[in-house]
Amino acid sequence: MKIQSAKVIVTCPGRNFVTLKIVTDQGVYGIGDATLNGREKSVVSYLEDHVVPCLIGMDPRRIEDIWQYLYRGAYWRRGPVTMRAIAAVDMALWDIKAKMANMPLYQLLGGRSRDGVMVYGHANGSDIAETVDAVGHYIDMGYKAIRAQTGVPGVKDAYGVGRGKLYYEPADAQLPSVTGWDTRKALNYVPKLFEKLRETYGFDHHLLHDGHHRYTPMEAAQLGKALEPYSLFWLEDCTPAENQEAFKLVRQHTTTPLAVGEVFNTIWDAKDLIQNQLIDYIRCTIVGAGGITHMRRIADFAALYQIRTGSHGATDLSPVTMGCALHFDTWVPNFGIQEYMRHTEETDAVFPHDYHFEAGELFCGETPGHGVDIDETLAAKYPYKPAYLPVARLEDGTMWNW
Protein backbone atom coordinates (compact mmCIF):
# COMPACT_ATOMS: atom_id res chain seq x y z
CA MET A 1 0.00 0.00 0.00
CA LYS A 2 1.26 3.45 -0.95
CA ILE A 3 0.05 7.01 -0.58
CA GLN A 4 -1.18 7.93 -4.03
CA SER A 5 -2.29 11.51 -3.48
CA ALA A 6 -2.93 14.13 -0.82
CA LYS A 7 -4.78 17.41 -1.05
CA VAL A 8 -5.61 20.33 1.18
CA ILE A 9 -9.21 21.51 1.42
CA VAL A 10 -10.05 24.95 2.86
CA THR A 11 -13.66 25.75 3.70
CA CYS A 12 -15.49 28.39 5.74
CA PRO A 13 -18.94 27.20 6.87
CA GLY A 14 -19.09 29.93 9.52
CA ARG A 15 -15.33 29.81 10.24
CA ASN A 16 -12.24 28.63 8.38
CA PHE A 17 -11.09 25.01 8.49
CA VAL A 18 -8.04 23.41 6.86
CA THR A 19 -8.47 19.70 6.06
CA LEU A 20 -5.92 17.25 4.63
CA LYS A 21 -7.20 14.26 2.64
CA ILE A 22 -4.76 11.40 2.01
CA VAL A 23 -5.70 8.74 -0.57
CA THR A 24 -3.96 5.36 -0.97
CA ASP A 25 -3.47 3.31 -4.11
CA GLN A 26 -6.02 0.85 -2.73
CA GLY A 27 -8.74 3.50 -2.56
CA VAL A 28 -8.75 3.88 1.23
CA TYR A 29 -8.56 7.50 2.35
CA GLY A 30 -8.22 9.35 5.61
CA ILE A 31 -8.73 12.95 6.62
CA GLY A 32 -6.97 15.16 9.18
CA ASP A 33 -7.40 18.65 10.58
CA ALA A 34 -4.71 21.34 10.26
CA THR A 35 -6.76 24.39 11.23
CA LEU A 36 -4.78 27.26 12.77
CA ASN A 37 -7.07 30.14 13.71
CA GLY A 38 -6.05 33.31 11.87
CA ARG A 39 -3.05 31.63 10.20
CA GLU A 40 -4.76 29.23 7.83
CA LYS A 41 -2.74 30.33 4.79
CA SER A 42 0.53 29.59 6.58
CA VAL A 43 -0.36 25.99 7.35
CA VAL A 44 -1.86 25.46 3.87
CA SER A 45 1.39 26.63 2.29
CA TYR A 46 3.48 24.42 4.55
CA LEU A 47 1.36 21.38 3.78
CA GLU A 48 1.18 21.90 0.02
CA ASP A 49 4.77 23.00 -0.53
CA HIS A 50 6.70 20.97 2.04
CA VAL A 51 4.68 18.03 3.35
CA VAL A 52 2.45 16.64 0.61
CA PRO A 53 5.29 16.12 -1.93
CA CYS A 54 7.15 14.03 0.66
CA LEU A 55 4.15 11.80 1.37
CA ILE A 56 3.59 10.50 -2.15
CA GLY A 57 4.77 6.91 -2.43
CA MET A 58 5.12 6.37 1.33
CA ASP A 59 3.52 3.40 3.09
CA PRO A 60 0.59 4.92 5.10
CA ARG A 61 0.75 2.06 7.60
CA ARG A 62 4.09 3.31 8.90
CA ILE A 63 2.52 6.00 11.08
CA GLU A 64 5.35 6.24 13.61
CA ASP A 65 8.06 6.40 10.95
CA ILE A 66 6.22 9.09 8.98
CA TRP A 67 5.72 11.12 12.17
CA GLN A 68 9.44 10.91 12.94
CA TYR A 69 10.27 11.76 9.31
CA LEU A 70 8.20 14.95 9.44
CA TYR A 71 9.38 15.96 12.94
CA ARG A 72 12.96 14.76 13.36
CA GLY A 73 13.70 14.93 9.67
CA ALA A 74 13.13 18.69 9.67
CA TYR A 75 15.94 20.80 11.08
CA TRP A 76 13.54 23.66 11.85
CA ARG A 77 11.05 21.81 14.00
CA ARG A 78 8.16 22.49 16.38
CA GLY A 79 5.98 25.61 16.21
CA PRO A 80 2.24 25.86 15.56
CA VAL A 81 2.41 25.66 11.75
CA THR A 82 4.72 22.64 11.58
CA MET A 83 2.98 20.69 14.34
CA ARG A 84 -0.50 21.23 12.91
CA ALA A 85 0.66 20.03 9.53
CA ILE A 86 2.14 16.91 11.17
CA ALA A 87 -1.08 16.47 13.16
CA ALA A 88 -3.18 16.52 9.98
CA VAL A 89 -1.04 13.80 8.43
CA ASP A 90 -1.12 11.76 11.64
CA MET A 91 -4.91 11.94 11.99
CA ALA A 92 -5.41 10.93 8.38
CA LEU A 93 -3.02 7.97 8.72
CA TRP A 94 -4.73 6.70 11.89
CA ASP A 95 -8.05 7.06 10.05
CA ILE A 96 -6.70 4.93 7.19
CA LYS A 97 -5.22 2.28 9.50
CA ALA A 98 -8.46 1.94 11.49
CA LYS A 99 -10.46 1.67 8.27
CA MET A 100 -8.10 -1.05 7.05
CA ALA A 101 -8.61 -2.89 10.34
CA ASN A 102 -12.38 -2.36 10.01
CA MET A 103 -12.64 -1.01 13.52
CA PRO A 104 -13.28 2.33 15.22
CA LEU A 105 -10.10 4.18 16.12
CA TYR A 106 -10.43 3.73 19.89
CA GLN A 107 -10.22 -0.04 19.42
CA LEU A 108 -6.95 0.31 17.54
CA LEU A 109 -5.59 2.48 20.36
CA GLY A 110 -6.30 -0.22 22.92
CA GLY A 111 -10.05 -0.25 23.53
CA ARG A 112 -12.35 1.56 25.90
CA SER A 113 -11.36 2.93 29.28
CA ARG A 114 -14.85 4.44 29.71
CA ASP A 115 -18.29 4.43 28.14
CA GLY A 116 -18.76 8.17 27.59
CA VAL A 117 -16.61 11.31 27.65
CA MET A 118 -17.63 14.07 30.07
CA VAL A 119 -17.60 17.44 28.33
CA TYR A 120 -18.01 21.04 29.41
CA GLY A 121 -19.84 23.81 27.59
CA HIS A 122 -19.33 27.58 27.55
CA ALA A 123 -21.76 29.81 29.43
CA ASN A 124 -21.21 33.52 29.16
CA GLY A 125 -22.98 36.82 29.62
CA SER A 126 -22.39 40.55 29.60
CA ASP A 127 -22.73 40.57 33.39
CA ILE A 128 -23.18 38.17 36.31
CA ALA A 129 -26.94 37.89 35.92
CA GLU A 130 -26.68 36.91 32.24
CA THR A 131 -23.96 34.35 32.96
CA VAL A 132 -25.98 32.80 35.79
CA ASP A 133 -28.91 32.38 33.39
CA ALA A 134 -26.59 30.91 30.75
CA VAL A 135 -25.21 28.35 33.21
CA GLY A 136 -28.78 27.34 34.03
CA HIS A 137 -29.44 26.81 30.33
CA TYR A 138 -26.49 24.41 30.09
CA ILE A 139 -27.66 22.58 33.19
CA ASP A 140 -31.08 22.21 31.55
CA MET A 141 -29.37 20.70 28.48
CA GLY A 142 -27.83 18.03 30.70
CA TYR A 143 -24.28 19.30 31.10
CA LYS A 144 -22.42 18.14 34.19
CA ALA A 145 -19.65 20.71 33.73
CA ILE A 146 -19.84 24.33 32.58
CA ARG A 147 -17.21 26.99 31.97
CA ALA A 148 -18.48 30.36 33.18
CA GLN A 149 -17.22 33.71 31.83
CA THR A 150 -18.67 37.15 32.41
CA GLY A 151 -18.25 40.65 31.14
CA VAL A 152 -16.49 42.93 33.61
CA PRO A 153 -17.87 46.44 34.29
CA GLY A 154 -15.58 49.01 32.74
CA VAL A 155 -13.74 46.49 30.53
CA LYS A 156 -14.37 46.69 26.78
CA ASP A 157 -15.33 43.33 25.23
CA ALA A 158 -14.01 41.16 28.07
CA TYR A 159 -12.68 37.78 27.01
CA GLY A 160 -15.12 34.88 26.70
CA VAL A 161 -18.28 36.89 26.13
CA GLY A 162 -19.37 35.60 22.75
CA ARG A 163 -21.76 36.76 20.09
CA GLY A 164 -24.10 33.83 20.64
CA LYS A 165 -25.27 31.45 23.33
CA LEU A 166 -24.03 28.18 21.76
CA TYR A 167 -21.74 29.17 18.88
CA TYR A 168 -18.80 31.37 19.82
CA GLU A 169 -16.29 32.49 17.18
CA PRO A 170 -13.76 35.10 18.41
CA ALA A 171 -12.02 35.60 15.04
CA ASP A 172 -14.18 38.48 13.90
CA ALA A 173 -12.47 40.76 11.39
CA GLN A 174 -10.05 40.97 8.46
CA LEU A 175 -7.71 42.87 10.78
CA PRO A 176 -7.52 42.31 14.55
CA SER A 177 -10.18 44.14 16.56
CA VAL A 178 -9.09 45.73 19.84
CA THR A 179 -10.51 44.60 23.17
CA GLY A 180 -9.78 45.89 26.64
CA TRP A 181 -8.50 44.49 29.91
CA ASP A 182 -8.13 45.54 33.54
CA THR A 183 -6.78 42.93 35.92
CA ARG A 184 -7.88 44.64 39.13
CA LYS A 185 -11.47 44.96 37.94
CA ALA A 186 -11.52 41.30 36.93
CA LEU A 187 -10.04 40.14 40.24
CA ASN A 188 -12.75 42.05 42.09
CA TYR A 189 -15.61 40.85 39.88
CA VAL A 190 -14.98 37.23 38.87
CA PRO A 191 -15.22 35.74 42.40
CA LYS A 192 -18.64 37.39 42.75
CA LEU A 193 -19.81 35.43 39.70
CA PHE A 194 -18.91 32.09 41.25
CA GLU A 195 -20.37 33.08 44.60
CA LYS A 196 -23.67 33.74 42.83
CA LEU A 197 -23.45 30.54 40.79
CA ARG A 198 -22.95 28.35 43.87
CA GLU A 199 -25.68 30.26 45.72
CA THR A 200 -28.06 29.63 42.79
CA TYR A 201 -27.20 26.09 41.70
CA GLY A 202 -25.31 24.56 44.60
CA PHE A 203 -22.27 22.33 44.28
CA ASP A 204 -23.63 19.45 42.20
CA HIS A 205 -22.17 20.69 38.90
CA HIS A 206 -18.55 21.25 37.93
CA LEU A 207 -17.68 24.88 37.26
CA LEU A 208 -14.62 26.04 35.30
CA HIS A 209 -13.09 29.43 34.50
CA ASP A 210 -10.56 30.63 31.92
CA GLY A 211 -8.01 33.30 32.81
CA HIS A 212 -6.78 33.27 29.20
CA HIS A 213 -3.19 34.16 30.09
CA ARG A 214 -4.27 37.55 31.49
CA TYR A 215 -2.73 37.42 34.99
CA THR A 216 0.79 37.60 36.38
CA PRO A 217 1.69 34.59 38.57
CA MET A 218 0.89 36.44 41.80
CA GLU A 219 -2.36 37.84 40.40
CA ALA A 220 -3.30 34.33 39.29
CA ALA A 221 -2.53 33.09 42.79
CA GLN A 222 -4.85 35.75 44.21
CA LEU A 223 -7.64 34.69 41.87
CA GLY A 224 -7.16 31.00 42.62
CA LYS A 225 -7.24 31.74 46.35
CA ALA A 226 -10.38 33.84 46.04
CA LEU A 227 -12.13 31.06 44.09
CA GLU A 228 -11.31 28.26 46.56
CA PRO A 229 -14.64 28.49 48.45
CA TYR A 230 -16.50 27.75 45.21
CA SER A 231 -14.71 24.48 44.44
CA LEU A 232 -13.83 24.99 40.79
CA PHE A 233 -13.07 22.00 38.59
CA TRP A 234 -10.17 24.09 37.30
CA LEU A 235 -8.76 27.55 36.65
CA GLU A 236 -7.48 27.53 33.08
CA ASP A 237 -4.54 29.43 31.59
CA CYS A 238 -4.17 31.58 34.68
CA THR A 239 -0.78 32.97 33.58
CA PRO A 240 1.33 32.72 30.41
CA ALA A 241 3.21 29.44 30.40
CA GLU A 242 6.24 30.37 28.30
CA ASN A 243 8.02 30.39 31.64
CA GLN A 244 6.87 27.08 33.08
CA GLU A 245 8.39 27.89 36.47
CA ALA A 246 5.90 30.74 36.86
CA PHE A 247 3.33 28.17 37.91
CA LYS A 248 5.37 27.46 41.06
CA LEU A 249 4.25 30.80 42.47
CA VAL A 250 0.62 30.07 41.69
CA ARG A 251 0.83 26.55 43.11
CA GLN A 252 2.33 27.77 46.38
CA HIS A 253 -0.64 30.00 47.13
CA THR A 254 -3.81 28.20 46.02
CA THR A 255 -5.39 24.75 46.00
CA THR A 256 -7.66 25.59 43.06
CA PRO A 257 -6.81 23.00 40.34
CA LEU A 258 -4.86 24.40 37.41
CA ALA A 259 -5.14 23.57 33.71
CA VAL A 260 -2.99 24.71 30.80
CA GLY A 261 -1.80 23.62 27.36
CA GLU A 262 -4.09 24.59 24.50
CA VAL A 263 -1.28 26.65 22.91
CA PHE A 264 1.36 23.97 23.46
CA ASN A 265 2.91 22.24 20.45
CA THR A 266 4.98 19.43 21.98
CA ILE A 267 5.70 17.58 25.19
CA TRP A 268 8.62 19.97 25.78
CA ASP A 269 6.19 22.85 26.37
CA ALA A 270 4.70 20.92 29.29
CA LYS A 271 7.67 18.90 30.54
CA ASP A 272 8.50 20.98 33.65
CA LEU A 273 4.86 21.66 34.45
CA ILE A 274 4.13 17.95 34.47
CA GLN A 275 7.18 16.50 36.18
CA ASN A 276 7.05 19.16 38.91
CA GLN A 277 3.30 18.63 39.34
CA LEU A 278 2.54 22.30 38.83
CA ILE A 279 -0.74 21.60 37.00
CA ASP A 280 -3.63 19.19 37.40
CA TYR A 281 -4.86 18.99 33.79
CA ILE A 282 -2.96 19.10 30.50
CA ARG A 283 -4.99 20.75 27.73
CA CYS A 284 -2.93 19.95 24.60
CA THR A 285 -4.97 19.18 21.51
CA ILE A 286 -4.57 16.50 18.89
CA VAL A 287 -4.35 19.14 16.15
CA GLY A 288 -2.03 21.47 18.08
CA ALA A 289 0.37 18.88 19.46
CA GLY A 290 1.30 16.79 16.47
CA GLY A 291 -1.61 14.35 16.28
CA ILE A 292 -2.61 11.22 18.12
CA THR A 293 0.91 9.78 18.02
CA HIS A 294 2.39 12.63 20.06
CA MET A 295 -0.66 13.16 22.30
CA ARG A 296 -0.24 9.58 23.51
CA ARG A 297 3.25 10.41 24.70
CA ILE A 298 2.08 13.54 26.49
CA ALA A 299 -0.78 11.71 28.21
CA ASP A 300 1.40 8.79 29.25
CA PHE A 301 4.00 11.15 30.70
CA ALA A 302 1.28 13.08 32.56
CA ALA A 303 -0.15 9.86 33.97
CA LEU A 304 3.11 9.21 35.84
CA TYR A 305 2.34 12.32 37.91
CA GLN A 306 -1.42 11.80 38.31
CA ILE A 307 -2.18 14.62 35.88
CA ARG A 308 -5.24 14.14 33.72
CA THR A 309 -6.18 15.26 30.21
CA GLY A 310 -8.57 18.10 29.53
CA SER A 311 -8.14 18.83 25.84
CA HIS A 312 -9.09 22.14 24.26
CA GLY A 313 -12.17 21.76 22.07
CA ALA A 314 -13.23 25.18 20.84
CA THR A 315 -14.71 25.86 17.40
CA ASP A 316 -11.24 26.63 16.03
CA LEU A 317 -10.86 22.84 15.86
CA SER A 318 -12.87 21.12 13.16
CA PRO A 319 -15.15 18.13 13.77
CA VAL A 320 -12.23 16.02 12.48
CA THR A 321 -10.18 16.94 15.54
CA MET A 322 -13.20 16.46 17.79
CA GLY A 323 -13.79 12.99 16.36
CA CYS A 324 -10.15 12.02 16.90
CA ALA A 325 -10.19 13.55 20.38
CA LEU A 326 -13.23 11.53 21.41
CA HIS A 327 -11.64 8.26 20.32
CA PHE A 328 -8.50 9.31 22.20
CA ASP A 329 -10.56 10.33 25.26
CA THR A 330 -12.44 7.04 25.18
CA TRP A 331 -9.16 5.15 25.35
CA VAL A 332 -6.77 7.29 27.45
CA PRO A 333 -6.54 5.97 31.04
CA ASN A 334 -5.93 9.37 32.70
CA PHE A 335 -8.83 11.23 31.11
CA GLY A 336 -10.22 14.24 32.95
CA ILE A 337 -12.67 16.18 30.77
CA GLN A 338 -13.14 17.37 27.17
CA GLU A 339 -14.04 20.90 26.11
CA TYR A 340 -17.01 20.94 23.72
CA MET A 341 -18.03 24.05 21.84
CA ARG A 342 -20.76 23.17 19.40
CA HIS A 343 -20.21 23.75 15.71
CA THR A 344 -22.83 25.39 13.53
CA GLU A 345 -25.28 23.36 11.48
CA GLU A 346 -23.37 24.40 8.34
CA THR A 347 -20.12 23.02 9.75
CA ASP A 348 -21.75 19.77 10.84
CA ALA A 349 -23.13 19.34 7.32
CA VAL A 350 -19.70 19.84 5.71
CA PHE A 351 -18.14 17.39 8.20
CA PRO A 352 -20.65 14.53 8.72
CA HIS A 353 -19.74 12.58 11.85
CA ASP A 354 -20.99 9.77 14.04
CA TYR A 355 -20.28 11.19 17.53
CA HIS A 356 -23.21 12.45 19.59
CA PHE A 357 -24.04 14.28 22.84
CA GLU A 358 -26.17 12.79 25.59
CA ALA A 359 -26.58 13.68 29.29
CA GLY A 360 -23.43 15.74 29.60
CA GLU A 361 -21.21 13.33 27.68
CA LEU A 362 -20.03 12.82 24.11
CA PHE A 363 -19.91 9.35 22.61
CA CYS A 364 -17.75 8.38 19.65
CA GLY A 365 -19.35 6.05 17.13
CA GLU A 366 -18.47 2.61 15.84
CA THR A 367 -17.71 3.58 12.25
CA PRO A 368 -14.30 2.26 11.13
CA GLY A 369 -11.79 5.09 11.40
CA HIS A 370 -12.32 8.24 13.43
CA GLY A 371 -15.89 8.57 12.23
CA VAL A 372 -15.67 11.99 10.54
CA ASP A 373 -15.78 12.69 6.80
CA ILE A 374 -15.86 15.77 4.58
CA ASP A 375 -18.44 16.63 1.91
CA GLU A 376 -16.12 18.25 -0.63
CA THR A 377 -18.94 19.50 -2.84
CA LEU A 378 -20.59 21.28 0.06
CA ALA A 379 -17.23 22.50 1.39
CA ALA A 380 -16.58 24.24 -1.94
CA LYS A 381 -19.66 26.41 -1.39
CA TYR A 382 -17.98 28.09 1.59
CA PRO A 383 -14.82 29.88 0.36
CA TYR A 384 -12.06 31.06 2.66
CA LYS A 385 -12.70 34.32 4.51
CA PRO A 386 -9.76 36.14 6.15
CA ALA A 387 -10.40 36.49 9.91
CA TYR A 388 -8.12 37.45 12.77
CA LEU A 389 -8.38 36.90 16.50
CA PRO A 390 -8.65 40.13 18.52
CA VAL A 391 -5.86 41.79 20.47
CA ALA A 392 -6.12 43.24 23.99
CA ARG A 393 -4.89 46.53 25.40
CA LEU A 394 -4.92 47.94 28.92
CA GLU A 395 -6.71 51.21 29.63
CA ASP A 396 -3.49 53.16 29.02
CA GLY A 397 -3.00 51.50 25.63
CA THR A 398 -0.38 48.94 26.69
CA MET A 399 -0.52 45.71 24.67
CA TRP A 400 -1.63 42.74 26.77
CA ASN A 401 -2.19 39.04 26.28
CA TRP A 402 -5.40 38.30 24.42
Side-chain angles (χ1 to χ4, degrees), residues 31 37 88 96 129 132 139 201 257 271 278 290 344 367:
I31 60 174
N37 208 352
I96 289 171
V132 171
I139 291 173
Y201 301 114
K271 172 181 169 290
L278 300 179
T344 63
T367 306

Side-chain angles (χ1 to χ4, degrees), residues 96-358:
I96 289 171
K97 180 161 284 229
K99 288 175 179 176
M100 290 167 54
N102 195 33
M103 61 176 58
L105 177 55
Y106 75 83
Q107 292 286 16
L108 204 62
L109 295 175
R112 288 186 179 274
S113 292
R114 59 198 49 83
D115 296 324
V117 171
M118 184 172 71
V119 299
Y120 69 90
H122 287 204
N124 64 79
S126 60
D127 55 24
I128 287 175
E130 274 195 14
T131 303
V132 171
D133 288 343
V135 169
H137 179 55
Y138 275 89
I139 291 173
D140 291 343
M141 288 192 292
Y143 281 79
K144 305 171 184 176
I146 306 103
R147 191 190 85 164
Q149 306 290 139
T150 180
V152 178
V155 176
K156 177 181 180 291
D157 299 327
Y159 169 76
V161 181
R163 299 186 300 278
K165 297 303 181 186
L166 287 177
Y167 312 112
Y168 171 52
E169 171 48 57
D172 60 359
Q174 292 192 18
L175 290 175
S177 57
V178 179
T179 63
W181 183 250
D182 187 298
T183 298
R184 178 51 49 190
K185 290 175 181 176
L187 285 174
N188 289 334
Y189 197 68
V190 169
K192 297 176 183 177
L193 166 65
F194 288 92
E195 179 182 23
K196 187 63 176 179
L197 286 172
R198 289 306 189 195
E199 176 186 306
T200 304
Y201 301 114
F203 285 76
D204 289 341
H205 293 85
H206 300 298
L207 295 178
L208 305 84
H209 183 70
D210 186 0
H212 219 249
H213 316 280
R214 300 298 175 91
Y215 303 94
T216 66
M218 192 53 66
E219 291 165 350
Q222 293 174 26
L223 180 59
K225 189 73 173 178
L227 293 174
E228 284 178 12
Y230 314 116
S231 188
L232 265 63
F233 187 91
W234 76 35
L235 174 59
E236 173 188 341
D237 290 344
C238 61
T239 194
E242 286 96 336
N243 175 16
Q244 296 183 43
E245 289 190 356
F247 277 73
K248 286 183 180 179
L249 269 176
V250 186
R251 197 61 139 177
Q252 288 168 0
H253 293 90
T254 180
T255 59
T256 295
L258 304 176
V260 72
E262 69 182 60
V263 299
F264 292 173
N265 303 135
T266 72
I267 197 169
W268 301 106
D269 297 316
K271 172 181 169 290
D272 294 345
L273 289 168
I274 291 173
Q275 70 181 12
N276 293 314
Q277 296 179 275
L278 300 179
I279 57 174
D280 302 277
Y281 297 90
I282 182 66
R283 300 200 65 247
C284 298
T285 67
I286 293 207
V287 66
I292 294 166
T293 296
H294 196 58
M295 270 298 297
R296 290 176 70 162
R297 294 193 173 95
I298 295 172
D300 283 343
F301 181 50
L304 298 178
Y305 300 95
Q306 301 185 65
I307 293 168
R308 293 184 286 176
T309 65
S311 291
H312 177 64
T315 50
D316 61 339
L317 316 179
S318 90
V320 179
T321 290
M322 181 57 72
C324 289
L326 292 177
H327 283 272
F328 181 87
D329 296 338
T330 297
W331 158 77
V332 68
N334 53 320
F335 171 75
I337 200 168
Q338 170 67 54
E339 182 179 15
Y340 175 46
M341 288 183 69
R342 294 167 182 253
H343 290 105
T344 63
E345 292 181 2
E346 293 81 3
T347 297
D348 287 338
V350 170
F351 295 95
H353 53 266
D354 66 356
Y355 60 79
H356 72 279
F357 174 85
E358 181 181 342

